[in-house]
């Protein structure tokens, strides 16, 4: 778990660079991923400021941002990439916990289905495109995050690794680093209490552990539907996200040593 950067109020913060990538290597200190920063301490914000982040991608829906507004460090001047898409309509996670039986099996089924939809959501495609265009401009380090920093963030990090030429095994290994064994001890019971207050039903500990973690098959499901519809990850990046070969090469030039 050495890639994790321990902070007090920000979960799942880590550098997802420094991997072998084709003939080169991803830079360290350029690509960061995390959960939201609503509970960041002043010390956390000082640590973020020291990283020199110039691009920050908030993958959350508008209602998530409103519910848990990000804290910013003194002198914050990073480009924030977010959007207002998804401002109306049900929140899929809240809809699930309000209506489904909260078991480990039901969580796995929900996540399997969610990952098959995730790459094709208009709001995600917009955010993915703008993130990669920002990387192509080579301004400096970037931070991507959603609420828990595991699903939306995990897919975007994996696509970044693909563009860079990171080996499939390393892509999966990095994705699975979300499964920090200490995270449930720190946050699990509070999340269970929150769900019980919101829905009147308390999930089992096994269900909560499943909800807080990731499985290799989730990312595989997302990539499978991408390949089914676009032939390859590169086809998806070009046809759906709108990144031509020249732009992908500009991204590589910025993030590879």
């Amino acid at each position: 778990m050495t890639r994790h950067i321990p902070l007090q109020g920000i979960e799942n913060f880590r550098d997802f660079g420094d991997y072998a990538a084709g003939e080169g290597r991803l830079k360290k200190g350029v690509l960061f991923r995390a959960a939201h920063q609503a509970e960041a301490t002043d010390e956390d914000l000082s640590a973020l400021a020291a990283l020199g982040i110039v691009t920050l991608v908030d993958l959350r829906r508008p209602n998530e941002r409103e519910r848990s507004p990000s804290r910013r460090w003194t002198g914050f001047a990073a480009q924030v990439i977010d959007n207002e898409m998804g401002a109306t309509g049900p929140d899929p996670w809240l809809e699930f916990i309000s209506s489904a039986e909260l078991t480990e099996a039901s969580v796995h089924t929900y996540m399997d289905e969610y990952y098959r939809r995730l790459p094709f959501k208009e709001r995600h495609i917009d955010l993915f495109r703008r993130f990669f265009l920002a990387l192509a401009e080579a301004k400096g380090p970037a931070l991507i995050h959603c609420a828990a920093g595991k699903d939306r963030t995990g897919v975007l990090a994996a696509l970044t690794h693909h563009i860079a030429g990171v080996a499939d095994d390393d892509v999966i290994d990095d994705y699975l680093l979300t499964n920090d064994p200490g995270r449930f001890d720190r946050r699990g019971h509070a999340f269970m209490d929150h769900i019980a207050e919101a829905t009147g039903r308390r999930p089992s500990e096994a269900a909560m552990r499943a909800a807080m973690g990731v499985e290799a098959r989730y990312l595989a499901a997302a990539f499978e539907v991408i390949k089914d519809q676009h032939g390859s990850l590169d086809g998806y990046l070009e046809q759906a996200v709108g990144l031509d070969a020249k732009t992908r090469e500009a991204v590589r030039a910025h993030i590879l040593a």
Side-chain angles (χ1 to χ4, degrees):
M1 310 301 287
T2 55
R3 288 182 170 273
H4 282 86
I5 301 171
L7 297 174
Q8 297 170 337
I10 304 174
E11 291 287 336
N12 209 10
F13 193 93
R14 59 191 201 257
D15 188 325
F16 67 101
D18 199 25
Y19 284 101
E23 298 297 320
R25 191 170 190 87
L26 275 175
K27 295 175 183 174
K28 186 175 182 179
V30 172
L31 296 169
F32 297 98
R33 53 176 292 177
H36 69 75
Q37 296 99 62
E39 299 169 18
T41 65
D42 290 344
E43 291 81 1
D44 292 341
L45 295 179
S46 294
L48 292 182
L51 297 174
I53 293 166
V54 300
T55 302
L56 191 151
V57 184
D58 189 338
L59 296 162
R60 296 177 299 169
R61 294 162 60 95
N63 65 323
E64 294 175 285
R65 300 198 305 269
E66 182 178 351
R67 187 165 59 241
S68 301
S70 295
R71 294 197 68 207
R72 306 298 193 200
W73 53 90
T74 301
F76 179 88
Q79 175 191 7
V80 177
I81 295 174
D82 59 21
N83 65 35
E84 297 304 311
M85 299 178 193
T88 60
D91 180 308
W93 172 249
L94 294 179
E95 197 173 48
F96 166 71
I97 64 173
S98 298
S99 61
E101 184 182 0
L102 300 178
T103 65
E104 184 178 11
S106 70
V107 170
H108 286 314
T109 297
Y110 169 82
M111 296 307 298
D112 286 335
E113 295 173 352
Y114 177 74
Y115 269 78
R116 291 182 174 276
R117 299 191 305 269
L118 190 161
F120 306 105
K121 291 286 187 180
E122 183 182 3
R123 61 179 308 276
H124 296 157
I125 289 173
D126 171 70
L127 295 168
F128 292 179
R129 177 189 302 112
R130 291 160 61 202
F131 167 62
F132 288 124
L133 291 176
L135 286 186
E137 293 179 1
K139 294 179 179 178
L143 167 63
I144 61 175
H145 78 91
C146 51
K150 68 186 189 74
D151 302 314
R152 292 165 287 190
T153 299
V155 170
L156 183 52
L159 289 171
T160 308
H161 281 161
H162 169 75
I163 288 175
V166 174
D168 291 347
D169 287 349
D170 285 337
V171 173
I172 292 295
D173 287 348
D174 186 84
Y175 171 75
L176 292 175
L177 287 177
T178 283
N179 296 330
D180 175 359
R183 186 162 182 253
F184 183 84
D185 296 335
R186 294 190 302 271
R187 310 282 287 180
H189 290 286
F191 287 157
M192 292 166 71
D193 291 343
H194 174 73
I195 290 174
E197 291 172 7
T199 68
R201 297 174 302 128
R202 188 177 182 83
S204 67
E205 182 172 311
M208 197 70 248
R209 287 183 182 275
M212 293 176 68
V214 293
E215 301 279 344
R217 75 170 192 264
Y218 299 160
L219 188 59
F223 282 4
E224 180 184 2
V225 293
I226 283 173
K227 292 172 183 176
D228 284 347
Q229 294 200 27
H230 293 280
S232 66
L233 296 183
D234 286 337
Y236 166 79
L237 289 165
E238 183 149 347
Q239 299 158 19
V241 181
L243 304 176
D244 59 21
K246 181 179 179 180
T247 303
R248 300 198 301 276
E249 183 55 40
V251 170
R252 282 192 288 272
H254 175 48
I255 64 178
L256 291 175

